Amino acid sequence: FHQTLKTYLKNQVWDFHFYITKTWPEQPVILHFPGMTRTPNGKLYESFSVFCPCDRLEHLQLLAEEDILIDWSQPIYLNFTHAKIMAKIEEFYAERGTMEKLYGDVYGLTEPMVDKEECSNEIVFAEDAEMLQLTPEHAQMIHDLYPANHMECVEVFEKLIEKLPCYGIFSATGNLAAWMVQSYYGAMFSMQTRPEYRRKGYGLILAKHLTKLVQERGYLPFVVIRPENDASKGLYAKLGFKKHFETVRAILRPHEMASDAQGGGDT
């Protein structure tokens, strides 16, 4: 959440709206709308993210009383949120409706990046590939192949590419083989390699490069990894990333709308 604020202030990738409690900082709760750039009805207040220090979660009870910004009678879509915050929300929402959850683990780098090849600054690519900053023309393909494209619009990828470090590895024939971008919430995400270009080390090269750039720009490098994704865990472990906390993406559906067909998707 802190890095979402920092990215907004420095680059304003998307038109977000932030709200704090009237009693701030005595009740340290911050809301961020929209929580994701694409929702079923495209409404500003249809999705949100929330921050509260984990040792002061009792103040999240304010959300249960919220009747201006949040319409609890409609489905609500929360982007990745600290698991302890989501559990607190679930306590009071259980009487209102059901919660569909998707878990992720936040791995961050708080110490210098581990680089077993630090004696050499030269990047060696397979088959004469090269790494370049992406351009907006690549946004549509990246969005089409992004597993959670139901919650992010293609326009946000265009803005990310325009304003933040977003790199791709291109084959000798000019095809985009692999890519990774810095997101509007400060994370390194959307790292993908097309199947025909896998097992060439492109993922590790991109992760190292983006980690260095993110640090140089004053951000804490972090990624959100699905618990079952052992390959990504292994890749980032090589660079010194460690798990810091569990996060949850959720869809909240009122009981009277339990038949809503919108799904949570995969990442």
Side-chain angles (χ1 to χ4, degrees), residues 11-23:
N11 301 103
Q12 198 162 345
V13 172
W14 203 252
D15 188 17
F16 293 119
H17 301 263
F18 299 90
Y19 297 87
I20 63 172
T21 56
K22 293 180 180 179
T23 54

Side-chain angles (χ1 to χ4, degrees), residues 190-203:
S190 191
M191 184 175 77
Q192 291 180 267
T193 302
R194 295 169 71 177
E196 61 269 34
Y197 294 104
R198 290 173 182 166
R199 299 187 181 279
K200 299 180 184 292
Y202 292 164

Side-chain angles (χ1 to χ4, degrees), residues 38-230:
R38 186 179 182 184
T39 52
N41 300 306
K43 296 178 181 178
L44 174 61
Y45 297 99
E46 193 169 31
S47 69
F48 71 95
S49 294
V50 57
F51 168 78
C52 182
C54 287
D55 60 350
R56 304 184 69 183
L57 295 181
E58 67 276 8
H59 296 297
L60 288 174
Q61 185 60 32
L62 292 172
L63 291 181
E65 305 161 5
E66 174 61 59
D67 59 359
I68 297 176
L69 294 171
I70 303 171
D71 184 357
W72 294 110
S73 70
Q74 298 296 316
I76 297 291
Y77 304 85
L78 276 79
N79 206 341
F80 282 120
T81 302
H82 198 294
K84 290 184 179 179
I85 292 177
M86 198 69 81
K88 202 70 177 178
I89 293 174
E90 190 170 16
E91 285 181 13
F92 70 76
Y93 191 76
E95 297 181 357
R96 301 174 185 261
T98 60
M99 184 182 290
E100 178 183 336
K101 294 178 287 188
L102 183 70
Y103 291 88
D105 294 326
V106 171
Y107 283 75
L109 184 66
T110 57
E111 300 177 355
M113 179 172 58
V114 175
D115 187 350
K116 296 179 180 179
E117 300 175 355
E118 58 186 359
C119 58
S120 173
N121 293 320
E122 182 180 357
I123 300 175
V124 179
F125 289 100
E127 302 175 358
D128 296 322
E130 61 178 340
M131 181 166 55
L132 301 169
Q133 168 75 23
L134 298 171
T135 61
E137 68 184 34
H138 301 118
Q140 186 65 61
M141 185 186 75
I142 291 174
H143 179 265
D144 289 344
L145 296 174
Y146 178 49
N149 58 16
H150 66 285
M151 60 178 287
E152 302 291 5
C153 61
V154 66
E155 289 81 7
V156 79
F157 281 85
E158 293 170 349
K159 290 182 178 292
L160 290 173
I161 290 171
E162 176 186 346
K163 297 186 176 184
L164 297 174
C166 301
Y167 278 81
I169 294 179
F170 294 81
S171 69
T173 57
N175 293 322
L176 180 56
W179 56 87
M180 188 175 193
V181 305
Q182 182 180 350
S183 79
Y184 59 77
Y185 49 89
M188 296 151 51
F189 89 128
S190 191
M191 184 175 77
Q192 291 180 267
T193 302
R194 295 169 71 177
E196 61 269 34
Y197 294 104
R198 290 173 182 166
R199 299 187 181 279
K200 299 180 184 292
Y202 292 164
L204 183 59
I205 291 172
L206 283 167
K208 288 168 62 175
H209 187 68
L210 261 293
T211 297
K212 183 173 182 292
L213 288 178
V214 165
Q215 286 180 319
E216 290 174 350
R217 299 183 72 249
Y219 290 88
L220 173 72
F222 78 96
V223 291
V224 181
I225 303 176
R226 289 288 298 276
E228 67 274 16
N229 192 340
D230 293 332

Side-chain angles (χ1 to χ4, degrees), residues 238-258:
K238 291 180 181 178
L239 302 180
F241 283 68
K242 296 180 181 179
K243 179 179 174 180
H244 288 272
F245 60 90
E246 185 178 55
T247 185
V248 182
R249 179 187 296 158
I251 300 175
L252 284 61
R253 295 190 180 90
H255 288 308
E256 62 270 22
M257 301 184 69

